[in-house]
Amino acid sequence: MRELTYLRPDDAAAAVAAVSGDPEARFLAGGTNLVDHLKLGVARPGTLVDVSRLPMDAVEEVGDLPGPLGTGLRIGANVRNSDLAADRRVRERFPVVARALLSGASGQIRNQATTGGNLLQRTRCVYFQDVTTPCNKREPGTGCSARGGHARYNAVLGASEECVTVHPSDLAVALAAVDATVVVLGPDGERRVPVADLHRLPGDRPQDDTTLRHGELITAVELPDSPGARRSGYYKARDRASYAFALVSVAAALDLAEDGTVREARIAWGGVAHKPWRATRAEEELRGRVPDEEAVRAAVRVELEAAETDDQTAYKTTLVEGATVLVLDRLRQGGPR
């Protein structure tokens, strides 16, 4: 049995100091991902710093956020997924967030999982979780077993020779679609990172899932109010009805003019890349147009020009196109879905 040092600091600053000063230390919140990796031997930290009881568990109104309205919600990093999905303000003003959360995991896990931890969960690639196989994400330089192996879940956008895995979070995809920001506390103080910039593509460093530095702790997520956020939705295609990760997922927020044309569209895809994929080219194609099926399919195909597929992953481009049409049609016709 591997021995661990367990610490439970009294405040966030002490937690940051404990982890930043120890290269083998890790934060522990809900533990729904990390504990699995401890059991599998994927993670082998020397110290666990428990942040689950720190007072970061409130959903608060704020009035000084960037965005068209300046108002929004500040979500503490320890807010449980089930509580966030049930919050009336989230359901009314950010329905895409509530729906994404309810699409993830199971009721029991949502009761345990935290907002910050959900964003930092690691890939469910079968080779990453099997310590008997080569994996550049788990052991840099050993190779990528997913290339030439079971590839049905592999990325079709933004992959590299080093890694073809995808990011598993439903919440992260929804937050990317509403221009959310994460608040991060580190040894050098507090900073804010747009969710779109939190995760990174694999490049030649697939072991680095995010742009956070060692010892930086997510303390909150800020959701700016916007007309599009209120008209937002989420769709997740998966192999079974519950407790399954996305084959592909689509989060979208739509702001329409009085004539039905698009003022602003925000589209994010899950299950297709190492990070939530903001479909910015598709968004630009839709601006000023009525988002009917023909226009949406054309915009999605522009975004997918960079996709790389094989016999196992070709289905993803078809699936994400159809799912994007479905979500935007629902938003165009009747609002949140």
Side-chain angles (χ1 to χ4, degrees):
M1 179 178 292
R2 181 181 172 89
E3 292 188 1
L4 285 170
T5 299
Y6 173 80
L7 303 175
R8 189 188 293 172
D10 295 328
D11 56 50
V16 168
V19 173
S20 61
D22 181 352
E24 294 191 350
R26 294 279 301 275
F27 293 116
L28 173 68
T32 57
N33 190 211
L34 178 57
V35 171
D36 283 345
H37 288 169
L38 290 171
K39 293 176 181 178
L40 293 169
V42 172
R44 299 177 63 84
T47 302
L48 290 180
V49 179
D50 190 342
V51 297
S52 63
R53 292 170 176 79
L54 297 182
M56 304 185 298
D57 56 356
V59 180
E60 303 171 302
E61 297 279 355
V62 287
D64 58 350
L65 297 183
L69 303 178
T71 59
L73 298 177
R74 193 174 196 269
I75 315 300
N78 279 336
V79 173
R80 304 293 166 167
N81 286 179
S82 53
D83 292 334
L84 186 58
D87 189 282
R88 177 183 55 80
R89 295 163 294 181
V90 174
R91 294 170 70 90
E92 291 178 355
R93 290 150 60 181
F94 305 93
V96 64
V97 173
R99 291 183 178 275
L101 286 165
L102 293 174
S103 296
S106 65
Q108 296 92 332
I109 289 177
R110 290 195 296 269
N111 287 338
Q112 182 72 12
T114 64
T115 300
N118 186 295
L119 299 180
L120 299 180
Q121 63 184 298
R122 308 204 71 190
T123 182
R124 265 46 180 205
C125 175
V126 294
Y127 299 105
F128 172 74
Q129 298 188 105
D130 182 354
V131 296
T132 68
T133 62
C135 172
N136 286 322
K137 179 175 281 295
R138 182 172 19 85
E139 295 182 68
T142 58
C144 178
S145 295
R147 285 193 171 276
H150 179 67
R152 186 164 179 261
Y153 284 87
N154 286 359
V156 296
L157 290 165
S160 72
E161 288 297 319
E162 303 297 323
C163 184
V164 292
T165 191
V166 299
H167 187 71
S169 171
D170 294 290
L171 176 60
V173 179
L175 294 180
V178 293
D179 294 324
T181 297
V182 294
V183 182
V184 177
L185 181 65
D188 299 323
E190 188 176 86
R191 67 186 181 106
R192 283 168 167 75
V193 182
V195 166
D197 297 332
L198 176 64
H199 302 95
R200 58 181 301 278
L201 296 177
D204 60 1
R205 292 187 292 114
Q207 68 273 21
D208 296 332
D209 295 337
T210 73
T211 57
L212 299 183
R213 297 184 287 270
H214 182 70
E216 288 191 314
L217 173 68
I218 294 177
T219 59
V221 174
E222 294 176 338
L223 306 180
D225 285 318
S226 71
R230 284 185 174 271
R231 185 188 289 263
S232 62
Y234 187 77
Y235 179 80
K236 178 178 181 178
R238 48 190 166 180
D239 281 328
R240 56 181 185 269
S242 66
Y243 200 49
F245 296 98
L247 298 172
V248 302
S249 62
V250 176
L254 196 60
D255 182 14
L256 296 177
E258 291 183 4
D259 63 357
T261 59
V262 174
R263 284 198 190 98
E264 293 291 340
R266 297 287 186 269
I267 303 169
W269 293 337
V272 300
H274 195 258
K275 60 180 288 185
W277 187 271
R278 267 294 292 269
T280 54
R281 295 184 66 191
E283 293 171 0
E284 182 60 34
E285 289 289 319
L286 287 172
R287 191 171 293 116
R289 302 184 64 183
V290 175
D292 56 19
E293 180 175 347
E294 181 181 358
V296 174
R297 287 191 184 278
V300 169
R301 288 168 184 170
V302 170
E303 187 72 40
L304 289 174
E305 287 175 358
E308 297 183 10
T309 65
D310 57 24
D311 290 344
Q312 294 189 65
T313 58
Y315 79 93
K316 287 201 172 193
T317 56
T318 302
L319 197 53
V320 80
E321 181 180 323
T324 306
V325 169
L326 175 66
V327 173
L328 289 184
D329 183 64
R330 287 176 173 179
L331 296 181
R332 180 173 69 94
Q333 297 290 345
R337 287 293 189 276

